[in-house]
Amino acid sequence: MSLLTIDDISLEFGDLPILRHANLTLEPNERVCLVGRNGAGKSTLLKLITGEQQPDSGEIRYRQALRISQLQQALPNELNQTVHEFVAGGLVHLGELIRQYHRLSEQPLDDRGLRELQDLQHRIDAEGGWNLDQRVETILSELDIPGDKYLNAMSGGWQRRVGLARALVSNPELLLLDEPTNHLDLAAIQWLEDRIRNFAGSVLFITHDRAFLQRLATRIVELDRTRLTSWPGDYRNFLRRKEEALHAESLDKQQFEKKLGEEEAWIRQGIKARRTRNEGRVRALEAMREEYAERQKLKRQSKARIHIEESDNESGRKVIELHSVSHGYGGEPLINKLSLKVLRGDRIGLVGNNGVGKSTLLKIMLGELTPDSGTVKLGTNLDTGYFDQMRRELDPNKTIAEVVGDGREYIRIGGKDRHVIGYLRGFLFSAKRAMTPVRALSGGEKNRVILARLFTRPTNLLVLDEPTNDLDVETLEVLEEKLVEYQGTLIVVSHDREFLDNAVTSVLAFEEGGRVQSYAGGYSQWLKHGRRLKETDDLNRGRNDGPDASADATAPAKPKKLSYKHKLELEQLPDRIEQLEQQIADLEKRIADPEFYNQAFEKVQPVMEELKTRQAELDQAMARWDELENQQA
């Protein structure tokens, strides 16, 4: 029996259609990946399934007593609690069932009451819920997570593991995952991958990590132009069949438009032809016109078009040379006597877990940071583009067009002047969106702005530090294509295994034992050597076990930075602010209608109250955004 059925669901946000007559069935023991462009509505579909969002029409039918759990995209808000306490929060519903059972069992019961008590017992038995503490301890043991640690003494990667424990402790039949690999390093991604593969129930997940997708998905469901389409098999099968379907769609479009053109020409013939025309043929034309209007609503969005401006200058043969370079922080060595030559045309991927020194090495290689020992020599005629530097220079108060065009309307691309709005369409920004302030953008949109700006600068050395974060799969693939075509030297840091396999020809791996070793090929080729990456995410090092946990007192003082949770909050606030601004604009438009105040008080007052509430929420969100921005500065 199916776990759930989505039947003819439709949903719109204002004038923006999210789903139109969408249908989907989820079966037991399958792992389904939901794919689609950023903003298509994938996360909204998960909210429909959990009941957080209600559809405009249609319904979702669930198997009786279906247990659904979700690994939240955001990290826990309340960090001043132990792992055990947080994971036990995943059993709140079971605790309530047990309380209901005990409350009912203490009362004199008739036949109906006895049946209700028996039903409660069956539900609790089915979920193994009589000993809640034992359930928590069991899942923590299975996932090798210490229950007495405090969340504020854990890294983002460990907090994500704890989040999975909370999602699994209720023994769900359906597990929902929204971008579970976001901001995780390679070790944490591999751990998560293994756990999900061994999960006994069904999984519906969203991810931009194609290696994760390929290894786990047994079926792909695509959300494209408000419709859900199911594609059996893995991701590579989906890509092949999707290409075939798009080709067939293109042929059908050509044939339909040709036929419509012929019929339109016929209907416009002279008076004699109109006297003798076939009324059935006229009705058929009207139907074709209606069909054409519907096709226009589902018109496929343009594909991302990325251009990387290359320098006319050719760099020297030796681009960067490191000799016996060592560097560390607070007595912790990161790089030990590394010697390396980067030659013109090299394509190098830096591979390693969080905290091992990848970004530090990039800064040393570019001359931004002086190593503790050793020498660094930069080659001649270098025109360098540095992705991380662009991120630091992003002005939140300027519009996308102002940032990318440096205030100019036209930019020089491929030897020709091009309007900045037209250029930005290639990075999937509409003309209206191009005029949006940077502060109102999502994480993925900000990354696209940085790439768009960076690629207008002529370079012969590109250095990209985590360029793939939050990009949708389609944009990722176009970026890969252009980087493969790039004739200059490429150095890139990424946790995206597929991206590394496709974009680089050698990797520099930060391995256990403190070695930084070079290998030919991409990530998959390095993996065949049987080496292990260095891990710095040790729960027992440099952390305390209480609610006031802090860094080791012997470590040198560091400037206060935003926590992982607050960084995520800061990234999400612009979307919330934009949403509130749109809601306020819609309400103000209604109020501005001359007929608005002619309505009864009962209809006018709720609108006015809602406007007041939304304005207060906007003021609060803006104040919080300013507060977090100032902390980050």
Side-chain angles (χ1 to χ4, degrees), residues 261-297:
E262 292 171 349
E263 295 302 287
E264 292 286 6
W266 169 78
I267 201 70
R268 289 179 175 82
Q269 289 179 33
I271 295 173
K272 182 179 178 181
R274 285 201 295 272
R275 287 197 194 114
T276 60
R277 66 187 177 188
N278 185 319
E279 291 302 324
R281 192 171 176 181
V282 173
R283 288 192 294 272
L285 174 58
E286 291 296 333
M288 289 186 73
R289 286 171 173 169
E290 292 177 9
E291 183 179 348
Y292 179 76
E294 285 300 311
R295 284 174 179 250
Q296 288 299 104
K297 291 179 183 178

Side-chain angles (χ1 to χ4, degrees), residues 64-68 88 90-106 113 115-132 135 170-171 173:
Q64 186 175 7
L66 177 66
R67 298 188 300 276
I68 302 177
L91 293 173
V92 169
H93 73 292
L94 261 179
E96 180 57 33
L97 289 179
I98 292 172
R99 283 190 289 274
Q100 289 179 29
Y101 178 87
H102 288 308
R103 192 163 52 245
L104 199 60
S105 64
E106 293 169 357
R115 286 194 298 272
E116 187 178 346
L117 185 67
Q118 187 178 36
D119 180 59
L120 280 170
Q121 180 176 347
H122 286 328
R123 290 177 64 184
I124 297 168
D125 286 342
E127 298 189 42
W130 291 107
N131 192 331
L132 300 185
R135 286 282 299 279
S170 62
N171 191 26
E173 297 162 283

Side-chain angles (χ1 to χ4, degrees), residues 116-257:
E116 187 178 346
L117 185 67
Q118 187 178 36
D119 180 59
L120 280 170
Q121 180 176 347
H122 286 328
R123 290 177 64 184
I124 297 168
D125 286 342
E127 298 189 42
W130 291 107
N131 192 331
L132 300 185
D133 279 345
Q134 184 179 343
R135 286 282 299 279
V136 174
E137 291 298 336
T138 299
I139 195 67
L140 291 178
S141 176
E142 288 177 359
L143 301 185
D144 196 23
I145 303 172
D148 59 344
K149 293 286 182 181
Y150 276 76
L151 292 179
N152 60 5
M154 291 180 151
S155 68
W158 275 98
Q159 288 178 15
R160 183 56 55 92
R161 297 185 190 204
V162 175
L164 183 63
R166 180 181 172 119
L168 294 178
V169 72
S170 62
N171 191 26
E173 297 162 283
L174 175 60
L175 179 62
L176 306 178
L177 307 173
D178 192 352
E179 296 288 6
T181 65
N182 266 7
H183 308 289
L184 297 186
D185 62 19
L186 289 162
I189 291 171
Q190 185 63 58
W191 178 91
L192 180 64
E193 202 172 90
D194 292 340
R195 296 301 173 182
I196 300 304
R197 187 184 290 111
N198 294 325
F199 175 61
S202 291
V203 184
L204 176 62
F205 65 101
I206 300 168
T207 186
H208 64 263
D209 186 325
R210 291 159 297 170
F212 187 85
L213 193 167
Q214 174 63 25
R215 286 167 171 79
L216 290 182
T218 57
R219 176 159 64 108
I220 309 293
V221 171
E222 184 184 28
L223 176 50
D224 178 31
R225 293 168 284 176
T226 73
R227 301 288 174 84
L228 292 173
T229 306
S230 182
W231 307 82
D234 62 16
Y235 180 60
R236 291 194 177 94
N237 180 66
F238 159 74
L239 291 177
R240 178 180 57 80
R241 296 185 62 181
K242 176 66 175 177
E243 187 175 355
E244 293 171 355
L246 288 175
H247 178 66
E249 180 182 326
S250 177
L251 292 178
D252 175 67
K253 177 176 178 289
Q254 291 174 21
Q255 292 170 359
F256 177 83
E257 291 181 353

Side-chain angles (χ1 to χ4, degrees), residues 3 41 47 75 110 113 167 234 292 309 345 411 435 484 521 583 617:
L3 297 181
K47 290 178 181 178
L75 295 176
D110 54 16
D234 62 16
Y292 179 76
E309 188 73 358
I411 53 179
M435 304 311 295
V484 169
Q583 290 172 353
E617 290 176 356

Side-chain angles (χ1 to χ4, degrees), residues 303-317:
K303 188 178 179 180
R305 301 183 309 279
I306 293 175
H307 171 86
I308 302 178
E309 188 73 358
E310 297 196 32
S311 174
D312 292 333
N313 298 324
E314 185 176 64
S315 70
R317 184 174 177 275

Side-chain angles (χ1 to χ4, degrees), residues 2-7 24-26 59-63:
S2 300
L3 297 181
L4 65 83
T5 300
I6 294 174
D7 187 9
L24 176 66
T25 299
L26 292 179
E59 65 173 336
I60 302 179
R61 296 189 297 274
Y62 303 87
R63 195 172 75 183

Side-chain angles (χ1 to χ4, degrees), residues 203-444:
V203 184
L204 176 62
F205 65 101
I206 300 168
T207 186
H208 64 263
D209 186 325
R210 291 159 297 170
F212 187 85
L213 193 167
Q214 174 63 25
R215 286 167 171 79
L216 290 182
T218 57
R219 176 159 64 108
I220 309 293
V221 171
E222 184 184 28
L223 176 50
D224 178 31
R225 293 168 284 176
T226 73
R227 301 288 174 84
L228 292 173
T229 306
S230 182
W231 307 82
D234 62 16
Y235 180 60
R236 291 194 177 94
N237 180 66
F238 159 74
L239 291 177
R240 178 180 57 80
R241 296 185 62 181
K242 176 66 175 177
E243 187 175 355
E244 293 171 355
L246 288 175
H247 178 66
E249 180 182 326
S250 177
L251 292 178
D252 175 67
K253 177 176 178 289
Q254 291 174 21
Q255 292 170 359
F256 177 83
E257 291 181 353
K258 180 182 178 182
K259 176 66 173 174
L260 178 60
E262 292 171 349
E263 295 302 287
E264 292 286 6
W266 169 78
I267 201 70
R268 289 179 175 82
Q269 289 179 33
I271 295 173
K272 182 179 178 181
R274 285 201 295 272
R275 287 197 194 114
T276 60
R277 66 187 177 188
N278 185 319
E279 291 302 324
R281 192 171 176 181
V282 173
R283 288 192 294 272
L285 174 58
E286 291 296 333
M288 289 186 73
R289 286 171 173 169
E290 292 177 9
E291 183 179 348
Y292 179 76
E294 285 300 311
R295 284 174 179 250
Q296 288 299 104
K297 291 179 183 178
L298 297 176
K299 189 175 180 180
R300 185 162 178 80
Q301 295 172 293
S302 59
K303 188 178 179 180
R305 301 183 309 279
I306 293 175
H307 171 86
I308 302 178
E309 188 73 358
E310 297 196 32
S311 174
D312 292 333
N313 298 324
E314 185 176 64
S315 70
R317 184 174 177 275
K318 288 183 181 179
V319 176
I320 303 171
E321 184 173 5
L322 276 62
H323 178 68
S324 197
V325 166
S326 296
H327 196 75
Y329 290 106
E332 176 72 19
L334 293 177
I335 302 162
N336 185 31
K337 295 183 178 179
L338 173 64
S339 294
L340 175 72
K341 288 182 181 179
V342 179
L343 302 179
R344 183 176 61 235
D346 280 353
R347 313 173 65 80
I348 302 172
L350 270 59
V351 175
N353 290 313
N354 290 342
V356 296
K358 302 186 300 297
S359 296
T360 297
L361 179 56
L362 284 186
K363 289 182 173 67
I364 289 173
M365 294 170 75
L366 294 175
E368 288 195 358
L369 181 65
T370 302
D372 294 338
S373 62
T375 59
V376 180
K377 293 181 180 178
L378 297 179
T380 58
N381 294 329
L382 290 183
D383 293 322
T384 304
Y386 184 19
F387 182 81
D388 185 67
Q389 185 182 50
M390 289 286 184
R391 185 185 286 125
R392 298 196 299 266
E393 294 175 356
L394 209 56
D395 187 338
N397 295 314
K398 290 184 177 179
T399 67
I400 298 172
E402 288 172 333
V403 167
V404 173
D406 279 332
R408 303 186 306 272
E409 287 190 30
Y410 289 87
I411 53 179
R412 196 76 173 166
I413 298 293
K416 298 179 180 179
D417 286 336
R418 188 171 178 189
H419 199 283
V420 67
I421 300 297
Y423 172 72
L424 284 169
R425 284 199 185 98
F427 287 83
L428 305 182
F429 292 110
S430 66
K432 180 180 179 181
R433 195 62 174 166
M435 304 311 295
T436 302
V438 168
R439 66 173 179 270
L441 303 182
S442 66

